[in-house]
Amino acid sequence: VQYRLPTIPPADFPSEPRVDGAESVDVEATELERLAYHTTYATAADAGKPVSGVLVELHAAGVRAVATNGHK
């Protein structure tokens, strides 16, 4: 069996942003549990799905997470 995966050259990806003055962030375990509860249902259980994952963003007002499985 052969598969052909379309890819993008590494140079086409943006560089990772630098966060000045912060090396770590403390997040309460209950907040992480809440984020997981409200997002993991939308991720694909099948690793063969082309798009699946959770994006977690840190903001001054808190943490935001969104999930996708390519269909939801």
Side-chain angles (χ1 to χ4, degrees):
V1 175
Q2 263 189 325
Y3 294 98
R4 182 177 209 100
L5 297 174
T7 61
I8 299 172
D12 290 350
F13 284 89
S15 60
E16 292 184 22
R18 296 188 60 89
V19 178
D20 294 329
E23 294 197 16
S24 67
V25 175
D26 293 327
V27 179
E28 293 291 328
T30 54
E31 180 69 1
L32 289 177
E33 181 181 32
R34 185 186 69 78
L35 291 171
Y37 177 80
H38 289 286
T39 55
T40 54
Y41 75 92
T43 59
D46 177 6
K49 296 285 184 185
V51 177
S52 178
V54 178
L55 168 68
V56 178
E57 294 180 331
L58 302 173
H59 299 276
V63 181
R64 177 173 57 182
V66 293
T68 184
N69 72 358
H71 299 287
K72 296 177 186 171

